[in-house]
Amino acid sequence: MISTAEAYQKFLDIVAGKNYWKNYLRSQFIRHLSLFMAWALRDAQWKVERATQELFPSTALNRGSILAHAESRGYTPVKPQPATGAVTITNGGDYPVTIPLYQAFVSDSQNDYYATESVTIAAGASETVDISQAKTETIDFDVTVEEVFHEIKIEKELSAKVADYVVKVDQGGGFETWDYAPRFHNSLPDDYVYDEFYSVTDEIGIRFGNGTFGFMPPAGATIRVTLKLTEGDIELPVNQALYHVGSLLDSEGQAASIQVVVSDAINGGTDQEDIESIRKNILYWSTYNENIVWKEDYVFALKRKFPQIRWINVWGETEQDAETGADSANINTIFVCLYAEAAEDIEDAAMAFLNGLKLMNRKFLWVAPVSSEFSLTITGSVARAQDPATVTSAITDALEANYGIDSTTKLDAVHTKDIYKLIQDTGYFENNAFFDVTMTGTHVPAQLAEMISIDMTTTTVTIERL
């Protein structure tokens, strides 16, 4: 970076050879003009240096630069996931009403929801229906010319809300569903597959094959993409009303008279992966890159596919034999055990994802998680200037965030030293203030499928003033 003194001397060297400027070489005007030029040069140098830093993912700050690195490495951000819950639907009419699968609803805040199951409600009766915060939108793309690695893009406004999508192609004989094949791994010339990328312009892109790795959609074909769109991390509390969208008829063909009220809070959704997480993940993406090889890869792949996972453990033959004894059935078996907030169908979804991976000589076995809890008894004293209720709230919030079963920041293991540290880090126990912690219950898993969390209903925090 050029200094003011260097800029002044360089400016003198330049104007010394100019006849007109010779009379002003040692003037205050020249000194001030050189100072101005030094500022301009320093600003230009700083901007060049900052722009150079955008060339490296470890120092890039601009979203566009980070997305460019991600696209170059074939990394796609983790998609948002919809909030889920349940509603109670009461039939106020005289005839039964059938709520079809995917029946659409809308809230007062104009967010979209749909039923994830079908149910028939008798006249005057009520039924509980599972619901998800999402809606579908279909977009068609025409293929005007057959080309290698044909690409289509979903507009930016929709891309950030896409939780999932289905790709179908009509080559003249009706729409057929194509499969996702990351980087066209293990794909043949006639395989109906596609790859996904995320562009520097914040758009989800879909890329088709080149005739060697994956089939090329022919000219005249129509590509149909059905999007599942969600708002992500939003919540609809209990007792809030929903309203059905479109016509809904009872068994006699009359307009249905129903009341829809949230009975189990609709929450647990997640937003699209943030830019800082993307920047960190692309540093290690080449190591993973959708190739499932080690235990950690299974964990990473599942967490990436299902960001609502709160606890997970994956193990193999050696660990299972150590726990239950040697068994030939354990050979080449990957055991999967996980828990996800507000996702009762996570078992089917996770196993379908793993079984869809093209792996040689591998089989997957689901193991239901076993929940165990521990409780804490915390007593302490703080300075007289502190409010015990505020301190208690800070401690319980920290415990819930680090050990709550549905916490997004839940720690993988429970250690006494960590509990003491997080309470100390609340900042209320300085000088003569003190606290003690007593733990009861199970805090160390005794089996591979055991998930440990804190029981806040039996945990007590008693704080007094010194």
Side-chain angles (χ1 to χ4, degrees), residues 2-4 7-8 11 28-44:
I2 190 171
S3 67
T4 303
Y8 176 58
F11 198 75
Q28 188 179 47
F29 171 71
I30 291 295
R31 181 173 292 279
H32 287 176
L33 188 59
S34 66
L35 179 61
F36 172 77
M37 294 304 299
W39 289 345
L41 286 170
R42 287 167 67 88
D43 180 67

Side-chain angles (χ1 to χ4, degrees), residues 136 283 290 429:
T136 59
L283 296 175
E290 300 282 11
F429 296 94

Side-chain angles (χ1 to χ4, degrees), residues 235-311:
E235 181 175 356
L236 194 63
V238 173
N239 295 327
Q240 293 295 302
L242 290 178
Y243 311 94
H244 72 270
V245 177
S247 62
L248 186 62
L249 307 178
D250 60 23
S251 60
E252 295 297 313
Q254 301 175 3
S257 175
I258 62 171
Q259 182 183 32
V260 185
V261 178
V262 177
S263 55
D264 184 8
I266 302 172
N267 53 26
T270 58
D271 293 331
Q272 185 189 49
E273 184 178 15
D274 62 72
I275 196 65
E276 180 59 19
S277 176
I278 295 173
R279 188 186 67 80
K280 289 180 179 178
N281 275 332
I282 60 177
L283 296 175
Y284 305 98
W285 183 242
S286 58
T287 304
Y288 170 65
N289 197 25
E290 300 282 11
N291 293 306
I292 308 295
V293 181
W294 304 295
K295 167 191 170 183
E296 288 74 15
D297 286 331
Y298 294 107
V299 172
F300 180 89
L302 286 166
K303 282 187 173 181
R304 176 176 159 79
K305 179 67 176 177
F306 307 103
Q308 65 268 44
I309 289 175
R310 298 294 177 259
W311 176 86

Side-chain angles (χ1 to χ4, degrees), residues 53-60 66 69 73 279-280 282-283:
Q53 292 173 354
E54 296 296 313
L55 298 174
F56 307 96
S58 58
T59 54
I66 295 173
H69 290 296
R73 289 163 171 78
R279 188 186 67 80
K280 289 180 179 178
I282 60 177
L283 296 175

